[in-house]
Amino acid sequence: MDDERLWTRTRRAVYDEITRTAMELFLEQGFEQTTIDQISAAAGISRRSFFRYFGTKEDIVLGDLASQGVLVQRSLEAVPLSVPPWEALEQALWQVADLNGDLDAARKVAVMMYGTPSLRARSIEKHLHWQELLVPNIQRRLEAAGGDPLDPAAAAIVASAIACLDIAGQAWLREPGSDLRQLYRRATRAVRG
């Protein structure tokens, strides 16, 4: 048991070191200009070792996005079913956002993501995974309120909420000093209106 915990801690430390090193290179040189060989050399690992931790360069930047989807799902499950879908999603999203709290780091990653087509595509792929995780809960909320289990409303609500989050993120980058939560609320009001 102790050996397993040590291995897990060691693996996590190496993962974190590769991520930190890569992010420094991305911010210094640009995402597309930074190679896997450069990341491996700077982190002191082989190219082969790099691929034990990451499937692609994009996974370094967006790796946490997939795990955040699971956190949003857990947060959503904790919101009582009596809370309407849009409000429940907002509560779950911001609870997870509060855990990550570093807005400067989030802004740097967002600038990189929105400015790099391969990262943008990968983030959309990860958000599609979020939809799969969140739709069942929203479906239960709608059914509890008398909704039809075959109605596509749950999928539409989740997809719209994620799109609103994405649009709010883009606006947040364009408007220095803006509040991401307020931008999200404005986006959802426009969709729900």
Side-chain angles (χ1 to χ4, degrees):
M1 184 82 165
D2 288 334
D3 287 342
E4 185 177 324
R5 278 190 270 167
L6 177 61
W7 181 86
T8 301
R9 283 195 318 264
T10 302
R11 183 168 173 76
R12 184 67 198 179
V14 172
Y15 177 92
D16 290 345
E17 177 64 19
I18 296 167
T19 300
R20 185 191 59 73
T21 301
M23 291 302 287
E24 287 173 2
L25 288 170
F26 295 154
L27 294 173
E28 179 183 314
Q29 302 175 171
F31 179 81
E32 292 176 330
Q33 292 73 28
T34 303
T35 67
I36 290 172
D37 289 334
Q38 289 173 322
I39 295 166
S40 299
I45 61 170
S46 69
R47 182 179 173 89
R48 184 177 175 150
S49 291
F50 173 89
F51 286 110
R52 287 189 192 123
Y53 291 90
F54 300 97
T56 67
K57 200 168 62 164
E58 289 80 5
D59 288 338
I60 296 170
V61 178
L62 300 172
D64 282 346
L65 196 56
S67 62
Q68 285 177 351
V70 173
L71 293 176
V72 173
Q73 178 189 32
R74 288 182 190 149
S75 293
L76 185 59
E77 292 294 332
V79 176
L81 283 177
S82 59
V83 175
W86 284 98
E87 289 77 8
L89 283 165
E90 183 174 345
Q91 283 181 33
L93 287 168
W94 297 124
Q95 183 176 12
V96 171
D98 287 343
L99 295 174
N100 297 324
D102 187 351
L103 284 180
D104 288 335
R107 187 177 290 276
K108 289 175 185 174
V109 170
V111 166
M112 194 182 327
M113 184 192 70
Y114 289 116
T116 308
S118 63
L119 284 173
R120 188 82 176 103
R122 191 69 176 216
S123 75
I124 291 168
E125 177 185 312
K126 295 205 184 267
H127 279 154
L128 289 173
H129 178 66
W130 281 31
Q131 284 180 233
E132 293 173 17
L133 295 173
L134 304 177
V135 166
N137 180 280
I138 298 304
Q139 184 65 45
R140 285 194 303 277
R141 287 173 194 282
L142 293 174
E143 287 175 24
D148 178 356
L150 299 177
D151 189 343
I157 290 169
V158 172
S160 297
I162 291 171
C164 287
L165 183 62
D166 190 49
I167 295 301
Q170 291 175 51
W172 180 59
L173 293 180
R174 287 191 309 271
E175 300 175 28
S178 59
D179 182 329
L180 182 58
R181 290 176 197 224
Q182 289 304 318
L183 292 167
Y184 174 78
R185 287 182 185 130
R186 284 172 37 198
T188 59
R189 274 197 306 272
V191 170
R192 295 172 68 181

